[in-house]
Amino acid sequence: MNVIRLSRSSVGEEEKVALASVIDAGYLGMGKEVQQFEEELRAFIGTENDVICVNTGTAALHLALECLGIGPGDEVLVPSITYVASFQAVSATGAKPVACDVTLDRVFLDLTDAERRITSKTKAIMPVHYASDSTEMDLVYLFAGRFGLRVIEDAAHGFGCYRNGKVIGDQGDVICFSFDGIKNITAGEGGAVVTGDKALVQRIRDARLLGVEQDTEKRYSGQRSWFFDVRHQGYRYHMSNLMAAIGRVQLTKIGQFALHRQHCVARYQQELSGVPGIRFLDLCYENLIPHIFPVRVSATHRDALMNHLRASHIECGLHYQPNHQLDYFATDYALPNAELLGDELLSLPLHAELSESEQDRVVTGIRNYFDSAGNVRTV
Ligand SMILES: Cc1ncc(COP(=O)(O)O)c(C=O)c1O
């Protein structure tokens, strides 16, 4: 029996051809291919903002924060339920990630709790597009306006989604995407920062290439800097032509990926809606390209169901353990919703190559679990 994967890359012949042409051209580093990917991303988003490609979503977040001048002594509000990358990106700057609670219905940053965590050191807020949703982002911008905060949107799950009728990235302060292997599109690994803040754009462009000033512009015209100045900390965070070649092909496939992911979610909702023991998040999937499909299962059953499915060769995921319960980011306060969700969330297989028969196996596995044990939901 084949293993049903939780997630996987959907890449094939077109990506191989694109990679071969970069290899044949003989320059694998950052050059024209990256420039073209950035232009195509801008066109796709339909934005006047700049797009700066880097080698991971984590690097995008780290550079965005650091180039905004956030560092030691500063605090950044972050929802506790997120990938640890969000927290590590903040702490990499020397600033403190301040864990906030999340809402139960959408697992989005809870602004009532965030307000409790504001201090004179708070410089920014980093909401996460959990499971691709950012419906409540307008409220985040109102909140940020009230407290004079910068907003760095962790849109690692959100590439290609819509908010207020616009593609994510066109509106907002600083938006960061991930193109890692399992995201809505992949560049092998990769990420991007999108912002209309021109000063920030140049800082990030330089900082992704070790702080060498204006090196991006040289590399895009097939040269590099031999005489240069460096005035800020920089990193080797640039995207390579190889990565961009994969990303460019993937961008042409995003429509088909979107349809497939939405279709899978609609089927899960239809097939599981009567199953006692499974509760859906309150997300409006028509505007999303769902990166993950987390459901809530009561804490008494979540791990047992996960083990039951694993025994049937079905992988599930946990998105995520609360970060404030990790040793490095531990808090001296509780976050009740995040803790409850940390015990209840279970992500079902979802990717652009998931077949209907595989989905049927997942649904049957879940039904069997609840039938056989008489395991009716108790929360
Ligand atoms: C919410 C969130 N933020 C940040 C990241 C980091 O992206 P990357 O893996 O490209 O570094 C991820 C990646 O999984 C993520 O899920």
Side-chain angles (χ1 to χ4, degrees):
M1 195 184 285
N2 72 312
V3 174
I4 300 179
R5 304 261 298 268
L6 170 66
S7 51
R8 58 163 293 159
S9 310
S10 180
V11 284
E13 287 309 314
E14 297 97 324
E15 285 84 354
K16 284 187 197 166
V17 170
L19 283 172
S21 87
V22 172
I23 291 167
D24 289 346
Y27 182 65
L28 312 187
M30 188 175 113
K32 277 251 171 293
E33 200 75 22
V34 177
Q35 183 180 27
Q36 280 168 332
F37 188 34
E38 288 177 345
E39 281 167 10
E40 286 161 8
L41 288 166
R42 276 184 89 197
F44 171 80
I45 294 168
T47 185
E48 297 293 306
N49 289 345
D50 279 279
V51 176
I52 310 131
C53 283
V54 290
N55 59 4
T56 61
T58 311
L61 293 168
H62 179 202
L63 285 185
L65 290 156
E66 190 158 304
C67 295
L68 280 170
I70 290 165
D74 296 334
E75 294 179 355
V76 179
L77 303 170
V78 195
S80 184
I81 299 283
T82 181
Y83 191 39
V84 69
S86 321
F87 275 67
Q88 290 284 24
V90 176
S91 60
T93 69
K96 181 180 170 196
V98 176
C100 301
D101 215 349
V102 293
T103 57
L104 284 176
D105 52 350
R106 294 199 177 118
V107 199
F108 194 76
L109 182 70
D110 179 343
L111 291 172
T112 310
D113 187 67
E115 188 164 348
R116 276 183 220 124
R117 318 265 162 236
I118 295 255
T119 70
S120 57
K121 298 177 184 168
T122 313
K123 293 290 176 335
I125 184 165
M126 191 197 275
V128 173
H129 296 212
Y130 182 83
S132 311
D133 174 71
S134 64
T135 313
E136 291 172 42
M137 198 61 72
D138 292 347
L139 297 174
V140 173
Y141 280 98
L142 288 176
F143 179 93
R146 263 176 68 209
F147 295 102
L149 308 178
R150 295 300 296 250
V151 181
I152 299 98
E153 297 185 32
D154 181 342
H157 298 186
F159 185 75
C161 301
Y162 283 80
R163 182 169 75 247
N164 299 333
K166 300 211 163 183
V167 180
I168 302 293
D170 183 41
Q171 300 171 309
D173 190 2
V174 188
I175 298 94
C176 297
F177 294 113
S178 162
F179 304 130
D180 81 20
I182 57 165
K183 290 297 190 297
N184 286 346
I185 63 164
T186 184
E189 294 285 351
V193 183
V194 184
T195 182
D197 177 340
K198 294 291 174 198
L200 182 63
V201 169
Q202 195 59 50
R203 280 291 299 274
I204 294 176
R205 282 179 150 204
D206 293 348
R208 74 176 160 178
L209 285 161
L210 294 170
V212 176
E213 294 191 335
Q214 309 278 328
D215 207 18
T216 285
E217 292 71 8
K218 293 246 173 50
R219 283 171 191 257
Y220 285 170
S221 58
Q223 306 160 41
R224 63 179 283 190
S225 306
W226 294 112
F227 300 99
F228 54 79
D229 198 9
V230 169
R231 286 185 292 167
H232 301 283
Q233 176 64 49
Y235 301 89
R236 288 284 283 178
Y237 278 174
H238 60 280
M239 179 175 273
S240 72
N241 278 350
L242 280 174
M243 299 161 91
I246 300 174
R248 292 183 66 200
V249 174
Q250 289 268 301
L251 192 56
T252 66
K253 299 181 176 177
I254 192 160
Q256 82 197 49
F257 292 160
L259 285 177
H260 191 82
R261 284 174 177 272
Q262 285 168 344
H263 175 68
C264 290
V265 165
R267 278 193 94 234
Y268 272 139
Q269 287 182 312
Q270 189 182 330
E271 300 295 323
L272 293 172
S273 63
V275 176
I278 298 289
R279 194 189 291 185
F280 303 127
L281 299 181
D282 183 18
L283 305 186
C284 179
Y285 285 103
E286 303 87 78
N287 293 323
L288 308 183
I289 305 178
H291 161 54
I292 51 174
F293 185 64
V295 295
R296 288 177 65 190
V297 180
S298 75
T300 41
H301 294 302
R302 199 269 311 266
D303 294 352
L305 173 59
M306 190 174 183
N307 290 336
H308 172 85
L309 293 173
R310 189 180 297 130
S312 309
H313 308 283
I314 298 168
E315 291 178 354
C316 292
L318 302 182
H319 297 102
Y320 299 91
Q321 295 181 88
N323 281 275
H324 73 281
Q325 293 183 323
L326 302 177
D327 194 42
Y328 194 52
F329 299 115
T331 56
D332 57 6
Y333 52 86
L335 295 172
N337 290 353
E339 286 159 31
L340 179 68
L341 289 167
D343 290 337
E344 288 196 354
L345 289 168
L346 183 70
S347 295
L348 305 184
L350 179 64
H351 53 78
E353 298 193 1
L354 188 68
S355 69
E356 291 201 346
S357 63
E358 287 178 319
Q359 266 201 297
D360 292 343
R361 264 177 61 198
V362 176
V363 169
T364 305
I366 293 172
R367 287 212 179 111
N368 286 347
Y369 170 81
F370 284 109
D371 287 350
S372 65
N375 288 328
V376 176
R377 183 183 185 86
T378 49
V379 296

